[in-house]
Amino acid sequence: MMHFPLILLIMAFKARALYNFQSENKEEINIRENEELQLLSDVSLDGWLQGTNSHGQTGLFPASYVEIIQPPRSGSVQVDYPTHHAHTDATHHGSYDDDEEDDDDWDDWDDGQSVAEEPSGSNGVPHSQTKHHYYPRPEYAHRPRPQLERQDSIASGKRGSVVGRNLNRFSSFVRSGVEAFILGDVPQFGRVSETYVIEMGPKGPLWKPDPNAFICSVEEPTKQTKFKGIKSYISYRLTPGHTNSPVYRRYKHFDWLYNRLLHKFTVISVPHLPEKQATGRFEEDFIQKRNRRLVLWMDHMTSHPVLSQYDGFQHFLTCRDEKQWKAGKRRTERDEMVGASFLLTLQIPTEHQDLQDVEERVDTFKAFSKKMDESVLQLISVVSELARKHLGGFRKEFQKLGGSLQNLSHSFQLDPPYGSEPLIGAISHTGRTYELVGEMFAEQPKNDQFRFLDTLSLYQGLLSNFPDIIHLQKGAFAKVKDSQRMSDEGKMEQEEADGIRKRCRVVGFALQAEINHFHQRRLLDFKMAIQHYLKEQIMFYRRVSQELEKTLKMYDSLNGRARRLLLQPVALPAHTEQ
């Protein structure tokens, strides 16, 4: 593992604890309300600071639990602090840069080729001379999710930080800013230009449907080049249904949008993008696999009442002008209503919901999502193994059977007086039929198993988002209980405790709306996915059966001929007398 220096300012900052914090890991320390702390740095890592408490203990504590009270002193001592630099959420995407041969960050978005980077300019039409269509080839490998995506609790437990540890249960609650929102520390904006409405439906809160719902196709992955062929990349044609005007985007553009979505929509399960791949990015099977999964990703984006209305997403889908693209991109990156501030855009129902009922609903979904996640992972394993057998084992076994039958037909020719050309031909044809069946098995996964794996992979990503999102609600519940206890003890005004409870309702309504949307899509997606799988399987075995039936008919015509051959005396060669 590589070692990198971490520059720390030794005891250059002071802070005062705003709340009590009880450590649960050896890397953490306890802090008490109003306690003065010495900080190693005022820069937080995933929402955590490192410092020393009044008892001389050094370790980590949540950044939002303290207030820095002293700016850095001039002449502070700097030291090189060697440490293991493990992969974290801050890992750069460049390590998986699979759409071009160098990581040029975003410079080429501002060099005159920012919208789609086609040689033809800003009209969104790729140059015909650089266009190469790709067609599917069998593939089945399921790769791990990219490290920048939100991980599930199991995966996050394997990640480390620059101090070599996994941040504990408070990390997402603190890092997302939802804790600050619950405590009323998120600044209110005088004018909020966007509003997302949550309504009460028959099964609970729902995101208000988008009145201008649309779909968007993702088609024609084409290989493009620039800089006179020095760099190559794949371009996808997107055609939004509400404009019917195609735009061309690269994977890096999807990646930019995806990270903006994660940054903004804290309490929404943003579908993961298809995985990156360091090598083989121009192979036909990988290109087609990514295209299929981008289609599913786009379907989930356009079906979500909130994500589909996001200005950054609309800009991504519709902008065809260079200058407008740059301006819209920068406007999206300057968006203030992100993270905890996004919660300020929510308009919730007036209906009363008991927080205990909401907590029970969340616990039920937590158990469901955990079980579904386990089931999806099991299905991915089973279907992947089945695809491998189709591509390898089944194909090989049918070819061995076919080859053995061919050998049998050849052996029948070695004693001509007892030979039967029609039977030999039928057996030989049977051998070729089974070799064909082997090839049919090898080609079948692209029609059913790969597509089923696409859906399972999408839901694996969606489900892996929920532990963090549920954790936000759990943190909010905890704050409500703490505030009510403090109010009962006279340590907090009841008005302040009521404000915490009110803001917790916002998080609760948002989570329930997201849960209900997830279930609506889940029912539709799995119905369609399994229906498609069954239909393709039926057609596949029907084709296999038809080939076998055609071969069987060759033997039916041999029945009468075989009886005549049995009754016909065999002419033996005459013996030459000595």
Side-chain angles (χ1 to χ4, degrees):
M1 187 173 293
M2 297 184 66
H3 296 269
F4 293 91
L6 176 64
I7 305 300
L8 298 178
L9 299 176
I10 299 297
M11 304 308 176
F13 302 88
K14 290 185 178 180
R16 186 180 72 255
L18 300 174
Y19 313 100
N20 292 333
F21 172 71
Q22 184 71 31
S23 66
E24 288 197 350
N25 297 291
K26 63 181 181 180
E27 295 89 354
E28 301 166 358
I29 59 173
N30 297 334
I31 61 175
R32 300 190 314 275
E33 185 178 353
N34 293 322
E35 181 180 10
E36 187 174 284
L37 308 166
Q38 299 287 337
L39 304 182
L40 297 181
S41 171
D42 68 336
V43 178
S44 65
L45 176 66
D46 276 351
W48 292 77
L49 289 170
Q50 188 171 23
T52 302
N53 62 18
S54 58
H55 297 286
Q57 299 168 324
T58 300
L60 297 173
F61 43 84
S64 65
Y65 278 52
V66 303
E67 175 186 28
I68 296 177
I69 58 177
Q70 180 174 319
R73 299 190 298 267
S74 59
S76 298
V77 180
Q78 292 187 350
V79 297
D80 288 343
Y81 188 85
T83 182
H84 295 292
H85 189 69
H87 290 296
T88 70
D89 276 334
T91 304
H92 196 279
H93 254 307
S95 62
Y96 282 88
D97 185 21
D98 61 338
D99 277 8
E100 51 190 57
E101 297 184 5
D102 68 296
D103 183 11
D104 58 1
D105 199 22
W106 296 106
D107 293 342
D108 59 349
W109 281 47
D110 295 325
D111 64 2
Q113 290 183 319
S114 63
V115 176
E117 302 191 21
E118 285 85 22
S120 56
S122 62
N123 61 3
V125 179
H127 198 291
S128 60
Q129 293 182 355
T130 62
K131 184 174 181 179
H132 305 282
H133 289 271
Y134 288 83
Y135 299 94
R137 204 167 61 193
E139 42 80 7
Y140 60 88
H142 175 75
R143 300 181 68 253
R145 294 186 293 276
Q147 293 190 11
L148 272 184
E149 298 171 357
R150 287 189 289 190
Q151 305 290 319
D152 58 17
S153 56
I154 297 175
S156 64
K158 298 177 182 177
R159 295 201 308 255
S161 68
V162 292
V163 290
R165 67 182 298 282
N166 170 44
L167 299 177
N168 78 357
R169 66 202 186 284
F170 288 99
S171 58
S172 62
F173 188 51
V174 174
R175 185 174 66 245
S176 66
V178 172
E179 181 193 51
F181 171 79
I182 293 295
L183 296 175
D185 294 336
V186 173
Q188 297 283 333
F189 293 86
R191 178 177 173 272
V192 178
S193 59
E194 54 183 318
T195 302
Y196 301 98
V197 179
I198 299 174
E199 301 176 330
M200 287 300 291
K203 296 184 179 180
L206 294 169
W207 298 114
K208 182 179 180 179
D210 182 359
N212 302 309
F214 65 97
I215 60 174
C216 179
S217 63
V218 182
E219 301 171 303
E220 295 190 9
T222 60
K223 188 174 182 180
Q224 304 282 345
T225 60
K226 67 177 184 178
F227 301 141
K228 297 182 179 180
I230 295 177
K231 295 180 68 174
S232 300
Y233 57 91
I234 302 299
S235 174
Y236 301 86
R237 186 181 73 183
L238 313 182
T239 308
H242 60 317
T243 66
N244 287 321
S245 182
V247 295
Y248 291 82
R249 297 288 185 259
R250 293 168 52 180
Y251 183 86
K252 68 183 293 182
H253 301 155
F254 282 91
D255 197 44
W256 168 81
L257 172 63
Y258 175 72
N259 281 282
R260 300 318 305 168
L261 293 165
L262 289 186
H263 188 53
K264 183 176 179 69
F265 298 107
T266 307
V267 294
I268 291 177
S269 181
V270 178
H272 290 196
L273 280 175
E275 66 274 7
K276 291 192 171 187
Q277 182 166 299
T279 60
R281 58 186 182 272
F282 296 126
E283 293 181 0
E284 296 172 10
D285 57 346
F286 177 73
I287 290 170
Q288 288 301 323
K289 174 183 176 181
R290 172 174 281 181
N291 188 78
R292 293 194 315 268
R293 296 192 173 187
L294 285 176
V295 168
L296 291 179
W297 184 87
M298 186 63 71
D299 285 346
H300 269 254
M301 285 294 299
T302 57
S303 73
H304 198 289
V306 176
L307 300 180
S308 62
Q309 298 181 64
Y310 174 43
D311 284 345
F313 182 49
Q314 289 294 326
H315 180 67
F316 171 82
L317 291 179
T318 60
C319 185
R320 295 160 59 88
D321 178 79
E322 290 291 337
K323 291 184 179 179
Q324 291 179 7
W325 170 264
K326 296 174 188 176
K329 175 178 177 290
R330 290 166 184 154
R331 182 175 62 251
T332 299
E333 292 168 350
R334 291 195 300 266
D335 185 4
E336 294 180 321
M337 309 308 294
V338 300
S341 296
F342 164 70
L343 296 169
L344 299 174
T345 70
L346 301 183
Q347 179 179 320
I348 65 173
T350 58
E351 284 89 341
H352 172 73
Q353 275 196 317
D354 187 273
L355 286 185
Q356 185 174 351
D357 293 340
V358 177
E359 189 168 13
E360 289 175 358
R361 176 72 187 95
V362 171
D363 286 339
T364 298
F365 180 77
K366 181 179 180 181
F368 159 83
S369 61
K370 182 177 184 295
K371 181 61 177 177
M372 182 179 174
D373 188 45
E374 293 170 354
S375 301
V376 166
L377 288 173
Q378 182 184 32
L379 257 178
I380 287 174
S381 176
V382 170
V383 177
S384 296
E385 180 61 26
L386 184 59
R388 278 191 285 271
K389 289 179 178 178
H390 270 254
L391 293 164
F394 293 161
R395 180 185 189 181
K396 182 178 180 181
E397 293 304 318
F398 281 116
Q399 287 179 334
K400 286 168 62 177
L401 175 59
S404 298
L405 288 167
Q406 294 271 25
N407 288 336
L408 179 65
S409 69
H410 295 156
S411 70
F412 280 14
Q413 302 177 31
L414 298 181
D415 195 352
Y418 288 92
S420 171
E421 289 299 327
L423 179 60
I424 292 171
I427 295 175
S428 179
H429 182 81
T430 303
R432 292 193 299 272
T433 297
Y434 275 107
E435 290 175 344
L436 173 62
V437 168
E439 293 300 322
M440 292 169 66
F441 268 87
E443 289 294 315
Q444 185 59 22
K446 69 182 180 184
N447 298 323
D448 47 35
Q449 280 133 3
F450 293 162
R451 293 181 181 274
F452 196 17
L453 285 171
D454 294 339
T455 298
L456 294 173
S457 177
L458 177 77
Y459 272 86
Q460 182 186 26
L462 290 170
L463 288 164
S464 74
N465 294 334
F466 277 108
D468 274 353
I469 297 174
I470 291 172
H471 177 71
L472 301 180
Q473 180 67 73
K474 288 291 186 181
F477 287 143
K479 289 299 178 188
V480 170
K481 294 173 183 177
D482 287 346
S483 66
Q484 191 57 53
R485 175 182 52 78
M486 293 175 68
S487 176
D488 294 341
E489 295 173 355
K491 297 179 180 179
M492 176 182 289
E493 295 292 334
Q494 185 60 46
E495 183 179 356
E496 184 179 354
D498 290 343
I500 290 175
R501 178 179 292 271
K502 180 179 178 181
R503 289 183 289 272
C504 181
R505 289 184 72 243
V506 174
V507 179
F509 272 106
L511 176 55
Q512 291 177 87
E514 188 61 18
I515 288 172
N516 284 325
H517 176 76
F518 174 84
H519 280 309
Q520 289 175 346
R521 283 297 313 189
R522 173 183 61 85
L523 296 174
L524 176 64
D525 287 339
F526 276 86
K527 172 191 173 184
M528 294 177 61
I530 297 176
Q531 272 186 328
H532 178 269
Y533 185 83
L534 288 172
K535 288 178 181 178
E536 289 293 337
Q537 285 276 288
I538 290 169
M539 288 191 290
F540 167 66
Y541 285 109
R542 187 173 291 160
R543 290 193 298 270
V544 171
S545 177
Q546 288 171 351
E547 292 296 331
L548 296 176
E549 286 174 355
K550 285 192 296 185
T551 303
L552 177 61
K553 289 179 180 178
M554 298 183 66
Y555 293 89
D556 294 339
S557 63
L558 297 177
N559 291 339
R561 184 188 300 267
R563 282 194 297 270
R564 290 192 299 271
L565 288 174
L566 287 172
L567 297 174
Q568 180 178 337
V570 178
L572 299 176
H575 292 279
T576 303
E577 293 185 5
Q578 299 295 327

